[in-house]
Amino acid sequence: MSDGTPAGEAARRRTFAVISHPDAGKSTLTEALALHAHALTSAGAVHGKGSRRGVASDWMEMEQARGISVTSAVLQFAHRGQVLNLLDTPGHADFSEDTYRVLAAVDCAVMLIDAAKGLEEQTRKLFDVCRHRGIPVITFVNKWDRPGRDALELMDEIESEFRLRPTPVTWPVGIAGHLSGLIDARDPERMIRYTRAPGGEKEAVEETYPADRAAGEFEEDWATARDELALLRETGAGHDPGDFLAGKSTPVFFGAAISNIGVRLLLDAVVDMAPPPAARELEAGGVRPVDAPFSGLVFKVQANMDRAHRDRIAFVRVCSGVFERGMTVTRAATRKPFATKYAHSVFGQDRSAVETAYPGDVVGLVNATALRVGDTLYSGQRAVFPPMPTFAPEHFAVVRPVDIGRSKQFRRGIAQLDEEGVVQVLVSDRRGDQAPVLAAVGPMQFDVVAHRMEFEFSAAVRLESLPYGTARATDQEGAEALSRSRLVHGEGMRRVRDGTWLGLFPSKWHISSFQREFPGSPLEPLIAAHQ
Ligand code: G4P
């Protein structure tokens, strides 16, 4: 229970994200988790499609129109005496850089899989990010109320494609589409039978059947489920906390978020299995323990969340110590003091002032114009967390204002979007700053730029895509050499955000031609969005 010390409070925090391919049911599950934690009185209030669509998480018009979640929100709720922080991740691959930043702020991820579709492209990419960051993953196989794949086959797929041993904690009685109930592998002599509440608005009613009753009513389905579980046990698929935390295995749960089936067990698993916040590595080596003075990581900066206020919020994950509203902290990048007068918890449009926050919590600092993604804030002994990586862009476009009379708004908007990390902004003497080049991991980032430039900064833009598909880090000479190259139609530019010189190439096949022409030029690969 709470003792008010940073270490005691950290121990009762679970900070996690749900990752999935769009449409696998992330919003539905988020809502179902909140419902089970009694953070909501009925499902359908936070998010939903169709008539229920869009209250909190989808605040941006474009998101609503497209049915994707571009921006993230943080939902905090209590369950069994623990405090859970659920961070929303953008669903689309084009925003994987954003996803990476959010995953830098969590201690665990729930990987959601659609029972019918199995491992989808985006599931793979997001899983790669988790692996890269060493985040333990709990798997939830969703939509078991609909016809879908074979459960054992799905386990094989997770094992072979992710090199991650699935350790089922719950197992379905009945094939996908005929879900009679679940077996909790820790108590396999019983079956949990669910009665769905109308519309899935309330928790499903759970009833426990002893083995003989389950066998009597669900004969073959019960026998099959038990055989499959026995088979899995023989192959050593029991949950092993050490392997899970080391990213070698994933506990698996089955259910149907829409009907709240299997959701309580998943929520309990987050409390029981997900790791609490731990000491965080510092850039200079060593770690910042959770009970050290306050430190926090800025993992997201977002402007204009509230149109009425035209503000800018920096989302900070508390890594150590206690955050108290109004405290003055130091921004590591400049060593300058930063006052935290306006601290909020933010979920969609809802904000409430945060007075105190502990390791694992996320606070939104309003009007934090000085802060950038990747910044460390601290009090007491200096702390600097490793920088957030910038991903290799694969799409490039020149951006210009439609109305040159609005070039002031244009410049301000582009600078703002660069600082938020919406896109990377590249410049060169040759092009001048009237027409910078935008570089993106996925083309939908350009749509966000165009939309926000027009509606937030009143500077509609024209984008003209460039015929490049890959970039390498180089130096100024390398960049100039590339712009002069006779063999390769490429270009050298400087990234505004960190001053890195980039060589832009039509494709990676052109890189060796350039190296033959200018053997002295350094070319370093950038971090691929998906490794
Ligand atoms: P996302 O955030 O991952 O994109 O997914 P979302 O929750 O919006 O769910 C995508 C679709 O899948 C929705 O249907 C939702 O109702 C459905 N869904 C989610 N969980 C389950 C489940 O456990 N079983 C079944 N059968 N369906 C599920 P939709 O048709 O797009 O919207 P709606 O009109 O049903 O709300």
Side-chain angles (χ1 to χ4, degrees):
M1 282 265 101
S2 151
D3 61 4
T5 65
E9 290 292 335
R12 59 192 280 265
R13 295 293 192 281
R14 301 289 182 274
T15 301
F16 69 110
V18 179
I19 56 170
S20 74
H21 192 88
D23 266 353
K26 182 157 63 80
S27 315
T28 310
L29 180 69
T30 300
E31 197 167 84
L33 288 168
L35 180 76
H36 280 75
H38 307 293
L40 287 177
T41 47
S42 76
V46 174
H47 187 115
K49 293 201 171 163
S51 57
R52 299 182 298 142
R53 163 149 284 286
V55 180
S57 195
D58 277 358
W59 50 269
M60 215 166 128
E61 281 164 40
M62 201 179 101
E63 292 176 317
Q64 293 185 351
R66 296 189 169 213
I68 53 163
S69 179
V70 180
T71 49
S72 62
V74 183
L75 182 62
Q76 186 179 66
F77 47 85
H79 183 63
R80 289 181 25 215
Q82 313 286 313
V83 179
L84 279 74
N85 294 305
L86 172 50
L87 277 57
D88 191 13
T89 50
H92 199 279
D94 286 9
F95 305 107
S96 52
E97 211 171 30
D98 262 322
T99 302
Y100 191 97
R101 296 175 192 141
V102 173
L103 291 176
V106 301
D107 303 309
C108 181
V110 171
M111 175 167 75
L112 190 60
I113 294 176
D114 183 323
K117 296 184 176 149
L119 306 182
E120 295 176 86
E121 191 198 350
Q122 184 62 358
T123 330
R124 291 189 171 85
K125 290 175 176 169
L126 289 165
F127 174 74
D128 282 346
V129 175
C130 288
R131 186 199 296 283
H132 195 258
R133 289 210 54 84
I135 297 169
V137 174
I138 296 173
T139 301
F140 186 78
V141 181
N142 191 30
K143 305 197 188 180
W144 205 260
D145 58 324
R146 288 259 180 90
R149 307 269 303 273
D150 175 70
L152 284 175
E153 218 177 86
L154 283 172
M155 298 306 100
D156 277 349
E157 199 169 299
I158 293 172
E159 176 127 43
S160 58
E161 295 207 18
F162 290 168
R163 284 169 283 128
L164 190 65
R165 191 157 45 82
T167 56
V169 178
T170 67
W171 194 254
V173 178
I175 58 168
H178 288 276
L179 178 61
S180 304
L182 295 173
I183 304 180
D184 183 334
R186 296 160 295 192
D187 184 12
E189 292 308 311
R190 289 169 217 277
M191 180 181 120
I192 308 166
R193 174 104 178 117
Y194 293 87
T195 311
R196 173 188 203 265
E201 282 185 12
K202 302 276 175 202
E203 290 170 45
V205 177
E206 292 183 20
E207 218 183 322
T208 310
Y209 284 19
D212 52 352
R213 183 172 175 199
E217 276 188 42
F218 303 104
E219 302 163 350
E220 222 172 281
D221 284 351
W222 170 256
T224 307
R226 297 260 299 194
D227 287 351
E228 287 171 339
L229 262 184
L231 185 77
L232 286 161
R233 242 194 328 268
E234 273 166 35
T235 56
H239 172 62
D240 177 328
D243 279 358
F244 161 60
L245 295 177
K248 292 185 189 153
S249 68
T250 178
V252 181
F253 294 78
F254 286 80
I258 196 109
S259 314
N260 295 306
I261 294 175
V263 174
R264 181 186 59 81
L265 286 159
L266 175 68
L267 189 61
D268 284 343
V270 173
V271 165
D272 296 329
M273 297 176 177
R280 200 174 184 94
E281 276 174 33
L282 294 167
E283 190 182 18
V287 292
R288 181 91 163 180
V290 287
D291 58 358
F294 167 77
S295 67
L297 172 71
V298 178
F299 65 94
K300 179 175 178 59
V301 173
Q302 179 80 57
N304 300 329
M305 284 187 77
D306 180 345
R307 279 170 176 251
H309 293 94
R310 298 253 151 203
D311 54 5
R312 171 153 145 166
I313 299 186
F315 290 86
V316 181
R317 141 101 192 208
V318 179
C319 299
S320 67
V322 185
F323 172 87
E324 274 161 357
R325 188 159 70 98
M327 76 194 288
T328 298
V329 297
T330 304
R331 180 177 170 222
T334 54
R335 295 180 188 249
K336 292 226 171 83
F338 181 86
T340 61
K341 193 161 147 211
Y342 302 104
H344 287 84
S345 69
V346 181
F347 184 66
Q349 298 281 19
D350 294 339
R351 291 182 189 189
S352 47
V354 166
E355 296 301 332
T356 313
Y358 296 97
D361 292 343
V362 171
V363 290
L365 297 178
V366 183
N367 289 333
T369 38
L371 299 183
R372 306 279 180 273
V373 169
D375 269 353
T376 304
L377 299 176
Y378 65 88
S379 63
Q381 198 190 355
R382 184 170 164 78
V384 186
F385 299 121
M388 293 264 191
T390 302
F391 285 7
E394 292 171 20
H395 302 267
F396 303 86
V398 184
V399 61
R400 290 189 182 86
V402 169
D403 173 359
I404 47 164
R406 306 201 66 80
S407 54
K408 207 171 100 198
Q409 288 86 342
F410 171 80
R411 273 200 302 274
R412 187 166 358 110
I414 293 294
Q416 165 71 37
L417 297 179
D418 187 20
E419 284 166 12
E420 281 183 35
V422 173
V423 276
Q424 300 174 31
V425 179
L426 313 181
V427 290
S428 65
D429 289 345
R430 192 162 72 89
R431 290 187 182 271
D433 27 317
Q434 288 309 316
V437 168
L438 304 183
V441 174
M444 220 186 268
Q445 288 174 259
F446 293 151
D447 297 348
V448 173
V449 170
H451 181 94
R452 293 189 58 186
M453 287 299 288
E454 182 169 354
F455 294 103
E456 284 175 35
F457 301 100
S458 306
V461 295
R462 235 192 340 260
L463 286 151
E464 179 200 327
S465 69
L466 292 171
Y468 308 131
T470 190
R472 290 285 182 274
T474 183
D475 58 11
Q476 187 169 358
E477 276 170 36
E480 281 162 8
L482 180 56
S483 297
R484 287 200 312 273
S485 168
R486 284 171 215 279
L487 294 181
V488 180
H489 180 69
E491 186 169 344
M493 300 199 75
R494 192 171 51 82
R495 186 160 61 198
V496 174
R497 197 183 304 167
D498 57 5
T500 303
W501 288 93
L502 298 183
L504 316 186
F505 294 85
S507 79
K508 55 183 180 206
W509 311 116
H510 296 85
I511 293 171
S512 42
S513 312
F514 173 70
Q515 280 173 319
R516 276 197 299 277
E517 193 181 356
F518 296 98
S521 295
L523 290 179
E524 300 292 331
L526 299 154
I527 297 176
H530 326 296
Q531 288 162 331

